[in-house]
Amino acid sequence: MIPIKPIGMPGQAKSAPADKPSAAAQAALAYLQPGALSLSALPPLSLYIHFPWCVKKCPYCDFNSHEATGGFPEEEYLAALRADLEAALPLIWGRKIYTIFIGGGTPSLMSAAGLDRLMSDVRSLLPLDGAAEITMEANPGTFEAEKFKSYRNSGINRLSIGIQSFNGRHLQALGRIHDDGEARRAVEIAHATFDNFNLDLMYALPSQTMEEAQQDVATAIGFAPPHLSLYHLTLEPNTYFAKYPPAIPDADASAEMQDMISAHTCAAGYGHYEVSAYAQAGRQARHNLNYWQFGDYLGIGAGAHTKLSFPHRVIRQMRYKQPKAYLEHSRLGNVVQEEVEINRNDLGFEFMLNTLRLNNGFEVNLFSERTGLALNTIEKSLNQAEAKGLLYRDHKIIKPTALGQRFLNDLQQMFLQD
């Protein structure tokens, strides 16, 4: 069982009676009651912190990001983040944090003092693992060498840099605020300041040729980043590109680019361990791995999502999405907009939706450890996927085949319950 220690809501008087626990503490106690599941152990726990502002909204972006026209309320938002974390503590009491990811938006818009305050708050409230991976997303258009040294001194030990392309024409088409020179300079600063960093790139860009895609990959590999994320540009609903779609490479050209990426990264010593992730030996993104292995994560900040396990149930939460609404509800003492317990019938699909993204799949015992269900609850779907050549399994592991990786959406959907 998880030890639970009720705490007061932010701003509650110190003399408040001990028999009046906060709403989160009451929820935590309720979640510890007997339920439909029986988890043998709780998974590793990560912390996600969302920073919702950016300089300019990119036309392809469907993330919860908002242009910081005229600046943003840094002090008020940092106070809200601390209050959010304090209120959530009863749900995770006694559990150690193994990874932290500060995403956005553009977290690198934060001042050095603001980031230092945020990290100080996190360290004062949470027990961090001594080897915790602490990642922050950064936009090349916001890189300042001294500022990033301050970030490093505050505890950030890994950067994820949104390069997207080293081609100036493509950066302009993607609406990025940086040019190709700034992209290269950002990687140089990262190399000089951090031991561990990731480069985000995209392919199948508007009017991109195979040669241009290959040049982007070669340039990225030339910097020897420990980790590479290479995403296919998708025209997401409710984005500018969805409304005014650009001309992008067709499916065959995109597939050829994917094959080229696999060949070049493999030749350079990068292991392709997840759909879009490539890493040098021992440099996989531990925070993302925890997601893909159906681990737990507490999300704080505007629009942040949470998944938490208890001995007899698994819950999800979502914070208020709009920054203004998030700040308003923070003042009222409750930033959680939605909270649901994952239905027993949905757990198998949610587990497979994540773990099948990993090229090496998962150990068989992990399914029951993370879902509290017996593997035979998805036996029919496993048999069908194996019969179609989409899945490999033995007594130790379950993983997608090469065919399953290529038709991953079809494979994942096979585990949806009627």
Side-chain angles (χ1 to χ4, degrees):
M1 299 290 281
I2 310 169
I4 296 292
K5 178 181 177 184
I7 67 166
M9 293 296 289
Q12 184 178 7
K14 297 292 185 181
S15 59
D19 60 349
K20 290 187 178 180
S22 68
Q26 293 179 53
L29 291 169
Y31 289 142
L32 288 171
Q33 299 304 309
L37 307 176
S38 182
L39 273 65
S40 58
L42 300 183
L45 178 63
S46 295
L47 173 68
Y48 175 77
I49 304 171
H50 191 73
F51 182 88
W53 291 283
C54 57
V55 175
K56 178 185 175 184
K57 184 77 171 180
C58 296
Y60 59 86
C61 178
D62 69 336
F63 295 157
N64 183 30
S65 59
H66 308 265
E67 292 187 8
T69 306
F72 57 92
E74 180 173 274
E75 293 297 315
E76 185 181 4
Y77 192 70
L78 290 171
L81 287 175
R82 180 180 177 106
D84 191 349
L85 184 54
E86 286 179 335
L89 287 180
L91 299 175
I92 59 169
W93 203 266
R95 298 179 66 180
K96 186 178 289 187
I97 300 292
Y98 290 92
T99 69
I100 299 173
F101 195 100
I102 307 172
T106 305
S108 51
L109 286 177
M110 258 190 292
S111 68
L115 189 279
D116 192 60
R117 172 183 169 181
L118 174 61
M119 292 305 302
S120 294
D121 286 345
V122 168
R123 282 192 295 268
S124 70
L125 293 171
L126 295 173
L128 301 187
D129 181 70
E133 175 193 271
I134 305 175
T135 304
M136 185 178 76
E137 287 185 336
N139 187 313
T142 64
F143 262 68
E144 300 169 18
E146 292 304 314
K147 186 178 180 181
F148 277 81
K149 287 179 183 177
S150 295
Y151 288 165
R152 182 72 178 88
N153 291 336
S154 295
I156 303 299
N157 56 30
R158 183 175 182 272
L159 282 186
S160 184
I161 310 170
I163 297 292
Q164 312 315 352
S165 177
F166 290 100
N167 181 303
R169 180 171 60 87
H170 293 143
L171 288 170
Q172 190 172 19
L174 290 172
R176 303 296 288 175
I177 65 170
H178 64 278
D179 58 26
D180 51 321
E182 288 172 317
R184 289 172 170 79
R185 180 173 174 271
V187 184
E188 291 167 357
I189 292 174
H191 248 311
T193 314
F194 290 85
D195 300 322
N196 196 9
F197 63 93
N198 165 67
L199 300 184
D200 268 357
L201 279 90
M202 301 174 77
Y203 67 95
L205 305 178
S207 72
Q208 187 180 41
T209 66
M210 172 63 79
E211 291 72 21
E212 289 170 334
Q214 185 171 334
Q215 184 59 48
D216 265 354
V217 175
T219 301
I221 290 174
F223 283 111
H227 193 281
L228 281 167
S229 297
L230 290 151
Y231 301 103
H232 188 295
L233 173 65
T234 53
L235 307 184
E236 301 287 356
N238 303 315
T239 63
Y240 183 87
F241 272 1
K243 188 175 182 180
Y244 304 102
I248 57 176
D250 60 24
D252 289 340
S254 297
E256 290 178 5
M257 289 180 183
Q258 174 62 62
D259 292 340
M260 175 274 295
I261 289 168
S262 295
H264 279 64
T265 51
C266 180
Y270 289 83
H272 184 194
Y273 70 99
E274 188 268 346
V275 174
S276 304
Y278 306 75
Q280 294 175 347
R283 294 301 190 101
Q284 290 90 347
R286 289 168 48 204
H287 185 87
N288 290 348
L289 270 176
N290 193 41
Y291 288 158
W292 297 323
Q293 292 170 343
F294 210 52
D296 278 359
Y297 48 92
L298 171 65
I300 63 171
H305 289 255
T306 289
K307 178 241 168 187
L308 292 176
S309 301
F310 296 86
H312 301 293
R313 55 185 44 82
V314 181
I315 69 162
R316 289 196 182 278
Q317 294 178 334
M318 187 187 78
R319 269 61 176 160
Y320 285 91
K321 187 174 182 180
Q322 291 291 331
K324 183 178 179 181
Y326 175 79
L327 291 172
E328 288 174 350
H329 283 274
S330 177
R331 290 189 286 272
L332 296 173
N334 182 22
V335 295
V336 177
Q337 182 177 12
E338 295 180 11
E339 182 171 285
V340 296
E341 182 174 335
I342 301 179
N343 187 290
R344 180 185 175 95
N345 292 333
D346 295 332
L347 274 170
F349 169 69
E350 290 213 18
F351 177 90
M352 299 301 281
L353 183 69
N354 286 278
T355 54
L356 289 176
R357 292 181 63 91
L358 295 167
N359 288 0
N360 290 329
F362 60 93
E363 294 184 3
V364 170
N365 290 339
L366 191 69
F367 180 82
S368 59
E369 287 177 11
R370 298 290 158 89
T371 66
L373 304 174
L375 188 64
N376 62 17
T377 59
I378 58 168
E379 186 72 21
K380 180 179 177 181
S381 298
L382 289 171
N383 289 337
Q384 291 174 341
E386 190 173 17
K388 291 184 177 182
L390 300 174
L391 195 75
Y392 169 85
R393 62 170 170 158
D394 57 29
H395 67 288
K396 289 184 177 180
I397 64 166
I398 297 174
K399 66 178 183 178
T401 61
L403 185 65
Q405 291 170 19
R406 189 167 288 274
F407 295 97
L408 182 60
N409 288 342
D410 296 323
L411 173 58
Q412 291 167 325
Q413 289 174 10
M414 295 181 72
F415 293 90
L416 271 173
Q417 296 293 320
D418 294 332

